[in-house]
Amino acid sequence: MPDLVTHLASGYVVVLPLRDRTALRLMLLAGVLLPDLLTRPFYIIFPGTYDFVMPMHTPIGYAIACWLMTQLFSDRTLRNTAMTGLLTGGLLHFAADSLQKQLLTPYLWLFPVCRCEAHWGLFWPEAPLRAVPFMALLIIVIHWTQFRTGRSRRRLSLNC
Amino acid sequence: MSRTATIPRHDVTGHRRIFHAATSAAAILILGWWSWYSDPDPDFIEVMRNPAAYAGHEIKIGDEPILESVEPGFFVVNSCGFRLRVSGDLSPDDTGHFIYVRGTFQPAPPGTPWNGLVESARYRVARGRHAKIWISVIPTFWVGILLLRHFRFETRRFAIEERCPPDPLHLDC
């Protein structure tokens, strides 16, 4: 995986056109991070659990995990919005992950249908660290401009 | 205004939510078991418990192993508390970094300080993985704060709701 700052920056770029849909935007940003958050902490803290949590870093397993999480939303519209955001973010995450090389832990995109692996192998997982300052700046700029826009819009609507 | 606009949008009973949550949780558990069961590579812990049975097998050491020390012609990797001697050349500067190893396993001879030997190894030192893990904590907290600012947990309905819905009159129903 690239670091989560890089993943988040890719999410911020995608949510740029979604200024009026805060819930969808936030869910997409969460979805960009979730595949790693659902798996990495477990097998970093408890080595040996990789096999058990790995399915949540595959599209089908991740979609099921999203379905489970979105059951916490009682509002049907909000639940669908959350599912759309989490799935889109997750796909963006998997797309970024598929660009990197792997030595041991291949990404099984079609699991549990088959254990066939595929990746582009353009860079090693730690390589995007060099771009973290740029990515962080990108996040700050996009967030700041969106926040400003949102605040000014709210002010306008109050005046109406 | 149409009559449907006054109907609350939330699922009042929640029975369907409970059913969906239970089935998806069960599906995740089954996937986890299937992932472990169908993995063609021998489990590292299993190899360490029964080293003689896996002599000559190719194994992967990927459970967040750390490069413990570097000697001429070999290095020592520590994974899950087990120490393995891996044939290969590395710089002493790499000590302390995460390392991933794939190679042919042989049980360690008695009296040696290792739990096994790995030969014909392909390996890669993951310089920067520590930094990557710690840097990744920041965006996690950042998105967590954004989510907490926008959503709240309604304990009575056991449900997450928007603090300030975009359309409080539900005219978009």
Side-chain angles (χ1 to χ4, degrees):
Chain A
M1 61 154 188
D3 58 278
L4 292 186
V5 178
T6 308
H7 277 305
L8 189 62
S10 69
Y12 263 101
V13 172
V14 172
V15 300
L16 264 175
L18 304 173
R19 280 182 184 156
D20 295 331
R21 307 187 63 185
T22 312
L24 179 62
R25 192 170 59 179
L26 288 175
M27 283 297 147
L28 199 148
L29 291 179
V32 163
L33 308 183
L34 260 182
D36 280 349
L37 295 182
L38 290 174
T39 52
R40 311 292 172 192
F42 292 101
Y43 72 81
I44 287 174
I45 297 170
F46 307 108
T49 57
Y50 176 80
D51 275 342
F52 296 99
V53 295
M54 181 279 290
M56 284 185 286
H57 203 283
T58 63
I60 293 173
Y62 175 71
I64 296 172
C66 288
W67 185 243
L68 172 62
M69 285 182 287
T70 53
Q71 297 313 308
L72 281 171
F73 294 92
S74 62
D75 183 312
R76 214 165 288 152
T77 313
L78 193 55
R79 196 187 310 160
N80 292 340
T81 302
M83 192 68 189
T84 308
L86 291 177
L87 278 183
T88 312
L91 287 177
L92 197 62
H93 180 105
F94 294 136
D97 275 0
S98 67
L99 298 177
Q100 64 192 14
K101 297 178 190 174
Q102 289 294 328
L103 178 64
L104 295 184
T105 51
Y107 293 124
L108 309 174
W109 302 124
L110 296 178
F111 182 85
V113 180
C114 80
R115 292 188 76 96
C116 38
E117 54 183 282
H119 56 260
W120 291 94
L122 298 180
F123 52 84
W124 287 109
E126 290 77 27
L129 268 180
R130 292 177 206 144
V132 161
F134 170 73
M135 296 298 179
L137 188 66
L138 186 72
I139 289 169
I140 291 165
V141 168
I142 293 176
H143 188 87
W144 189 71
T145 52
Q146 290 219 334
F147 175 78
R148 294 278 294 180
T149 311
R151 199 167 57 176
S152 58
R153 280 185 189 186
R154 273 199 297 277
R155 203 178 291 139
L156 273 174
S157 64
L158 283 174
N159 291 339
C160 283
Chain B
M1 188 193 302
S2 68
R3 190 174 171 76
T4 54
T6 58
I7 296 172
R9 292 186 298 172
H10 57 80
D11 179 353
V12 178
T13 64
H15 289 149
R16 194 177 287 179
R17 284 169 55 207
I18 295 169
F19 173 74
H20 286 164
T23 49
S24 48
I28 289 170
L29 289 175
I30 292 168
L31 279 179
W33 170 80
W34 178 247
S35 165
W36 168 79
Y37 182 77
S38 65
D39 189 359
D41 295 312
D43 181 51
F44 178 72
I45 303 287
E46 182 58 32
V47 173
M48 289 297 104
R49 281 190 190 135
N50 194 5
Y54 292 95
H57 280 67
E58 187 180 72
I59 64 161
K60 296 189 299 189
I61 311 172
D63 293 320
E64 305 301 328
I66 299 284
L67 179 61
E68 199 173 273
S69 63
V70 177
E71 306 291 338
F74 71 93
F75 50 87
V76 179
V77 170
N78 191 326
S79 179
C80 304
F82 297 103
R83 300 174 76 233
L84 290 106
R85 178 189 151 145
V86 182
S87 53
D89 290 307
L90 282 176
S91 161
D93 296 341
D94 294 327
T95 307
H97 287 288
F98 284 105
I99 184 168
Y100 300 106
V101 181
R102 171 172 235 159
T104 310
F105 177 78
Q106 296 295 342
T112 53
W114 308 297
N115 298 96
L117 313 175
V118 180
E119 290 155 359
S120 310
R122 284 189 293 148
Y123 48 85
R124 187 179 78 82
V125 178
R127 278 173 171 270
R129 183 163 169 77
H130 279 116
K132 200 171 87 165
I133 290 169
W134 286 111
I135 281 174
S136 293
V137 172
I138 300 167
T140 305
F141 275 107
W142 175 242
V143 172
I145 290 166
L146 292 179
L147 289 172
L148 285 173
R149 280 181 60 191
H150 189 76
F151 296 102
R152 69 189 169 91
F153 188 73
E154 172 62 56
T155 46
R156 197 168 50 82
R157 282 209 297 267
F158 199 78
I160 298 171
E161 293 175 346
E162 284 183 283
R163 286 184 190 276
C164 179
D167 177 16
L169 295 175
H170 300 309
L171 294 173
D172 60 343
C173 288

